[in-house]
Amino acid sequence: MSVASRTIAAIPARTSTRTWKAIADLLAPVGSPGRARLEAVTSVAAILITAEYTRQAPIVVIPATGSRVRIRTAHGLDAIEAQAEEIPLAVSPCSEAGWTMSLPCGVDDIEEMRAALAGYPGIEVRDVTDGITVGGPDAEPEPAGWSIDYEEMERP
Amino acid sequence: MKTAVHVNTATYAAIHVATNMLGNIRSIIKGSGLDPGRIGQDWAIIEDGIATWLGSRHLKAVTLEVYDPRKRGDDLVGRFDFTIDYGYYPDGDGDLWLDPETIAYTIRKHGAFPASCDYQIIADTMPGRPDVRGWTTTTYRSTAGFTRHVVGTAIGGGSLGAALSYYTRSAN
């Protein structure tokens, strides 16, 4: 299983809502069905970004095909530094149907956020303290082909 | 515990104060037993307005007004104000900070509202503000019979400070 990781600058480089727009820009082109799904959950995502859960653990995107994507947000001084270092993905993982997403959430907010996402199948919240193994079509080890994500390995 | 970082840009300060003010209002709503779902639905609109008017220096205060819809007329049951001071740090040294303990103290002191209560968020702005989609004009409910309690500055950034105060009904 290969993984692509990205860090997106959040507060104070961007408001929480604009941070989610920057993440959506990374994942799906404007006007695509996937983009509409992402925009529909803007408020939930913005609240999770404001609470900095997305700094503590990544947003995990499992596309229908291709590499998983992990996205973290940078806050404070890290955000200002990260803004100049944002790198687009080679492909838009949410442009094709069939993708799923897991958003990190604190235990105090998780029931509220699950209820808010009830009408949005394929987008869910997980406890921010859980690991980042999320079920999906590429969750099983692949018999051949792998890559090392050095950036992810360097994370504490 | 107060946390701080240092930058030197008014735009960063406005975003820091705006988004964290909204996050703290949500904390007060949850901590006071109110339904956070409504602020969640309107999050993007509220944040856009607060950030825009802070950036243009038209924002005077953001208020969480709590009322009991079962009452007619005098239905205010509580109120929380974040009052903006554009000269809180005259030298504008660039620190960005927030003090969660100020919010936690306020929630502890104020206590919870009955589950039947509802709320609205009001931005008090100066004339000439830019329009922001989703906002409409309104007036404050009367605070006659209430006492205002000043807690202190909860969020700071650049030259900006956001001071928190709350209202409780005065003893008869």
Side-chain angles (χ1 to χ4, degrees):
Chain A
M1 178 181 68
S2 60
V3 177
S5 296
R6 292 292 185 272
T7 299
I8 295 296
I11 302 125
R14 299 182 175 100
T15 63
S16 64
T17 305
R18 289 188 183 276
T19 303
W20 182 245
K21 181 181 179 299
I23 292 170
D25 286 343
L26 202 64
L27 298 174
V30 173
S32 67
R35 181 60 173 250
R37 284 180 67 195
L38 294 169
E39 290 174 352
V41 299
T42 294
S43 290
V44 170
I47 290 170
L48 301 177
I49 291 165
T50 300
E52 299 191 14
Y53 297 133
T54 49
R55 177 183 62 80
Q56 299 169 48
I59 298 163
V60 180
V61 180
I62 304 175
T65 58
S67 304
R68 286 186 181 199
V69 179
R70 294 179 187 167
I71 301 170
R72 292 177 188 263
T73 56
H75 298 250
L77 281 179
D78 291 344
I80 296 162
E81 292 171 4
Q83 194 168 22
E85 298 170 359
E86 291 174 354
I87 303 167
L89 293 165
V91 295
S92 299
C94 299
S95 58
E96 291 181 23
W99 58 268
T100 60
M101 174 181 282
S102 169
L103 297 157
C105 183
V107 67
D108 290 344
D109 292 320
I110 203 160
E111 290 308 319
E112 176 195 343
M113 295 302 147
R114 279 184 178 142
L117 290 173
Y120 304 98
I123 303 177
E124 60 181 27
V125 287
R126 70 178 190 281
D127 187 333
V128 70
T129 61
D130 285 351
I132 54 173
T133 300
V134 180
D138 62 350
E140 295 298 319
E142 294 177 0
W146 54 273
S147 67
I148 297 173
D149 183 348
Y150 292 97
E151 187 181 341
E152 188 70 15
M153 290 175 69
E154 288 174 3
R155 294 188 188 285
Chain B
M1 181 184 70
K2 191 166 88 172
T3 56
V5 295
H6 184 87
V7 293
N8 193 23
T9 304
T11 302
Y12 294 147
I15 291 172
H16 166 78
V17 172
T19 300
N20 282 300
M21 198 157 47
L22 186 53
N24 283 335
I25 289 171
R26 180 172 175 272
S27 295
I28 293 170
I29 288 168
K30 282 184 66 104
S32 302
L34 299 168
D35 176 13
R38 281 197 46 229
I39 191 175
Q41 291 167 7
D42 296 333
W43 188 272
I45 291 169
I46 298 169
E47 187 183 46
D48 191 21
I50 294 173
T52 299
W53 294 324
L54 261 179
S56 67
R57 298 174 71 93
H58 285 93
L59 187 68
K60 293 161 68 178
V62 180
T63 294
L64 170 64
E65 199 179 59
V66 186
Y67 60 95
D68 188 341
R70 296 174 306 177
K71 294 183 178 178
R72 290 187 178 182
D74 182 22
D75 60 354
L76 183 72
V77 294
R79 172 171 155 171
F80 302 83
D81 291 349
F82 283 91
T83 305
I84 306 302
D85 182 350
Y86 289 94
Y88 181 71
Y89 287 113
D91 298 331
D93 67 357
D95 275 353
L96 303 178
W97 60 269
L98 59 96
D99 186 2
E101 184 52 36
T102 303
I103 307 302
Y105 169 85
T106 303
I107 294 169
R108 282 198 308 272
K109 290 290 287 185
H110 192 281
F113 293 105
S116 59
C117 289
D118 205 344
Y119 58 86
Q120 66 174 351
I121 293 169
I122 301 173
D124 185 10
T125 57
M126 287 180 268
R129 70 177 185 274
D131 285 336
V132 175
R133 186 181 58 84
W135 288 78
T136 57
T137 55
T138 188
T139 54
Y140 284 104
R141 287 172 165 79
S142 170
T143 55
F146 282 76
T147 301
R148 183 169 182 255
H149 309 270
V150 176
V151 184
T153 303
I155 310 162
S159 63
L160 290 173
L164 177 59
S165 58
Y166 66 95
Y167 290 74
T168 55
R169 190 172 286 282
S170 309
N172 292 327

